[in-house]
């Protein structure tokens, strides 16, 4: 059996090609079924996300050539094109790769946590499709344990590496009880939606969305269970919010110093945290001159993100060391299993040979052959049968002057090696 990994990702292939070889949830079931029928495939798992498509197989292979051909045929894509943009790993390299992927070390955003869930889902899909046996069960369960260890023992995922996440993390520092705070989101685009998702993950429930187009605001609010404001309502409602995060395409500021100053007076100088993720700015920079207003711009957050990325790079080095150690652990287990299998085969063969010779001896006794002759013949044939393999190897070792093999055989067979050497 050989473990192989074939894949393309954001580093090796353009999005147009990644889209062509991606597997939808519906096509994944038929793909696993089709792959299972390929000659030599014993086990298989397919990981397919927006940034990668990877196929892991265990079977009788010399290379990924047949798997590459299958992938091209399944998606009706030129085989050479996929080959030019793909990577291939086998055995130890494949083991290391799946562990790095699950730990977020091979992701577009270093250390992002979503990939672990995606790999787990891919494994469960394969298991339900009947394409996972003992070897992959052990490999992937060990991989999930390694990924968890990386996240627990390093700071790979501790710091924000997107401005949306950084904004929410800053809010947590300023307001300890974040879930109790009221939040106004100005805008309804992708950035604001991402901010809203992070806020919901932190337990925030008091959300309002304000946008120039009320219909878009309502669409986002429906997803979040939030309320909607028009931009015209913001000045009179601003004092109700502890946190204001804005990201629109407006060419002029929507929230000015005077508006915030009036809101702070109504709040009786309770602090307000404002984040401006827009370029050009949505919030006047003079707001920072107000004592109880904490204003951060996209440039401020980008600086934090850059520092956090550097921190994650350091954590990634620690993670690589953890993975190296865990690869060795898995390989040691794999070798021990192979040894157990060899011992099992050796004992089964010896037992079979014994039973065959005993059955023959009993038949001879039934036929009236002298018991003394039967026992002698049984002992002679059993001894020759069991000694044949070791004798052949001993002769080969002597012929090649392989001293280390001779020593190992002497120890294994409990022979007097010194006496053998004197005779030589």
């Amino acid at each position: 059996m050989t473990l192989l990994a074939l894949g393309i990702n954001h580093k090796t292939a353009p999005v147009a090609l990644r889209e062509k070889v991606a597997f939808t949830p519906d096509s994944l079931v038929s793909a696993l079924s089709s792959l299972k029928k390929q000659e030599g495939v014993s086990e298989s798992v397919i990981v397919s996300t927006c940034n990668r498509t990877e196929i892991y197989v265990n079977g009788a292979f010399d290379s990924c050539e047949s798997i590459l051909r299958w992938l091209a045929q399944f998606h009706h894509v030129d085989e050479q094109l996929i080959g030019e943009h793909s990577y291939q790993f086998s055995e130890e390299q494949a083991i290391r790769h799946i562990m790095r992927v699950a730990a977020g070390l091979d992701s577009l955003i270093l250390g992002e946590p979503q990939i672990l869930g995606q790999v787990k889902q891919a494994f469960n899909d394969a298991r339900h499709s009947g394409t996972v046996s003992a070897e992959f069960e052990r490999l992937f369960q060990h991989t999930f344990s390694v990924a968890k260890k990386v996240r627990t023992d390093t700071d790979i995922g501790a710091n924000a590496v997107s401005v949306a996440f950084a904004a929410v993390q800053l809010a947590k520092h300023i307001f300890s009880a974040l879930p109790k705070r009221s939040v106004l989101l100005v805008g309804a685009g992708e950035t604001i939606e991402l901010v809203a998702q992070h806020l919901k993950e932190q337990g925030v429930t008091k959300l309002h969305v304000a946008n120039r187009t009320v219909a878009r605001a309502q669409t986002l609010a429906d997803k979040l269970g939030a309320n909607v404001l028009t931009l015209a309502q913001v000045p009179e409602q601003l004092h109700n919010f502890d946190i204001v995060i804005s990201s629109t395409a407006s060419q002029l500021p929507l929230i000015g110093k005077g508006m915030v100053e009036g809101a702070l007076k109504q709040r009786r100088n309770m602090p307000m945290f404002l984040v401006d993720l827009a370029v050009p700015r949505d919030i006047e920079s003079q707001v920072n001159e107000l004592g109880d207003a904490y204003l951060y711009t996209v440039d401020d957050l980008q600086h934090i993100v850059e520092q956090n990325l550097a921190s994650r790079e350091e954590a990634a080095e620690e993670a690589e060391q953890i993975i190296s150690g865990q690869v060795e652990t898995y390989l040691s287990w794999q070798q021990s299993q192979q040894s157990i299998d060899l011992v099992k085969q050796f004992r089964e063969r010896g037992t079979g040979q014994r039973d065959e010779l005993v059955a023959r001896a009993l038949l001879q006794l039934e036929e009236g052959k002298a018991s003394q002759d039967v026992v002698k013949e049984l002992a002679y044939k059993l001894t020759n049968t069991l000694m044949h393999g070791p004798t052949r190897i001993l002769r080969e070792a002597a012929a090649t002057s392989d001293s280390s093999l001779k020593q190992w055989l002497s120890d294994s067979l409990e022979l007097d090696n010194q006496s053998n050497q004197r005779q030589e």
Side-chain angles (χ1 to χ4, degrees):
M1 290 292 179
T2 302
L3 170 63
L4 297 176
L6 168 71
I8 68 170
N9 64 16
H10 58 281
K11 298 176 183 176
T12 67
V15 64
L17 179 57
R18 299 204 304 273
E19 288 174 342
K20 289 180 181 178
V21 298
F23 293 89
T24 65
D26 291 335
S27 68
L28 185 62
V29 176
S30 59
L32 287 167
S33 176
S34 172
L35 187 55
K36 187 178 181 179
K37 296 174 184 176
Q38 300 303 302
E39 185 177 355
V41 175
S42 175
E43 300 177 272
S44 60
V45 171
I46 298 174
V47 177
S48 186
T49 73
C50 59
N51 284 327
R52 72 180 64 247
T53 291
E54 295 183 340
I55 301 171
Y56 296 88
V57 294
N58 191 30
F61 301 104
D62 294 326
S63 70
C64 289
E65 185 177 340
S66 61
I67 305 303
L68 176 62
R69 187 180 309 113
W70 171 85
L71 179 62
Q73 291 173 351
F74 187 88
H75 286 294
H76 308 290
V77 179
D78 181 64
E79 181 180 339
Q80 183 176 350
L81 179 63
I82 298 177
E84 290 172 354
H85 293 277
S86 68
Y87 43 86
Q88 303 176 15
F89 302 112
S90 65
E91 297 298 335
E92 182 177 343
Q93 286 183 321
I95 295 168
R96 183 181 301 277
H97 181 71
I98 185 57
M99 290 183 182
R100 294 186 75 254
V101 168
L105 298 183
D106 195 56
S107 296
L108 181 62
I109 298 176
L110 182 63
E112 61 94 2
Q114 287 83 7
I115 186 61
L116 176 57
Q118 291 166 334
V119 175
K120 284 184 176 180
Q121 185 61 53
F123 171 73
N124 287 329
D125 289 339
R127 187 159 56 178
H128 293 152
S129 296
T131 63
V132 169
S133 298
E135 183 82 12
F136 267 17
E137 181 75 36
R138 175 75 182 199
L139 172 61
F140 279 85
Q141 293 299 344
H142 189 70
T143 294
F144 302 148
S145 175
V146 171
K148 183 178 179 181
K149 183 176 178 63
V150 167
R151 302 201 73 81
T152 301
D153 294 358
T154 74
D155 290 331
I156 192 70
N159 301 305
V161 289
S162 73
V163 290
F165 191 32
V168 176
Q169 291 295 97
L170 272 177
K172 282 179 65 178
H173 287 302
I174 292 175
F175 298 107
S176 56
L178 191 59
K180 297 180 180 179
R181 302 299 173 176
S182 56
V183 181
L184 172 63
L185 302 174
V186 183
E190 184 178 335
T191 300
I192 285 295
E193 185 171 353
L194 189 56
V195 169
Q197 290 173 1
H198 290 313
L199 288 168
K200 294 291 283 186
E201 289 170 2
Q202 296 298 323
V204 175
T205 57
K206 300 175 183 178
L207 284 170
H208 283 68
V209 180
N211 191 56
R212 191 178 306 279
T213 306
V214 176
R216 286 195 65 184
Q218 190 64 58
T219 300
L220 178 57
D222 290 343
K223 292 181 182 179
L224 305 172
N227 297 309
V228 173
L229 295 178
T230 64
L231 289 182
Q233 291 176 296
V234 170
E236 63 186 47
Q237 296 290 332
L238 192 59
H239 67 280
N240 292 319
F241 302 104
D242 302 304
I243 300 167
V244 179
I245 303 176
S246 185
S247 178
T248 75
S250 175
Q251 295 302 303
L252 297 172
L254 300 175
I255 299 174
K257 178 182 178 182
M259 189 189 303
V260 176
E261 190 171 22
L264 287 172
K265 287 179 180 178
Q266 288 181 273
R267 290 171 61 82
R268 296 182 180 180
N269 295 320
M270 287 177 56
M272 182 182 289
F273 176 59
L274 303 100
V275 181
D276 189 353
L277 300 178
V279 179
R281 296 182 181 184
D282 282 341
I283 303 174
E284 287 184 348
S285 59
Q286 289 82 356
V287 168
N288 246 338
E289 298 170 4
L290 301 173
D292 293 308
Y294 299 88
L295 173 62
Y296 284 82
T297 67
V298 68
D299 288 341
D300 298 325
L301 295 181
Q302 190 60 46
H303 180 64
I304 294 171
V305 166
E306 288 172 0
Q307 289 180 319
N308 290 346
L309 279 171
S311 176
R312 284 199 178 191
E313 291 286 356
E314 292 179 11
E317 294 180 10
E318 298 176 38
E320 294 285 7
Q321 293 177 5
I322 291 173
I323 288 174
S324 292
Q326 292 300 319
V327 168
E328 290 299 322
T329 299
Y330 181 79
L331 289 173
S332 296
W333 171 84
Q334 197 176 51
Q335 290 171 358
S336 71
Q337 290 300 113
Q338 292 171 353
S339 298
I340 291 171
D341 290 342
L342 284 173
V343 170
K344 183 180 178 182
Q345 290 178 35
F346 178 71
R347 294 184 66 86
E348 286 177 348
R349 189 182 69 175
T351 301
Q353 292 169 334
R354 177 204 65 192
D355 292 345
E356 182 182 338
L357 291 172
V358 168
R360 181 176 177 178
L362 292 173
L363 181 61
Q364 288 176 331
L365 288 173
E366 289 177 6
E367 292 173 348
K369 190 172 182 177
S371 58
Q372 185 175 358
D373 294 336
V374 171
V375 170
K376 286 182 179 179
E377 182 180 341
L378 172 63
Y380 175 78
K381 289 186 175 180
L382 184 60
T383 301
N384 278 347
T385 299
L386 296 178
M387 291 176 60
H388 174 71
T391 301
R392 177 176 57 80
I393 296 174
L394 279 168
R395 285 174 176 165
E396 290 176 359
T400 58
S401 300
D402 191 334
S403 58
S404 60
L405 178 58
K406 284 191 287 184
Q407 183 62 53
W408 180 82
L409 287 167
S410 293
D411 295 340
S412 301
L413 301 174
E414 298 180 351
L415 303 177
D416 183 356
N417 195 45
Q418 294 298 322
S419 173
N420 293 340
Q421 290 178 351
R422 284 195 298 269
Q423 291 176 8
E424 291 173 2

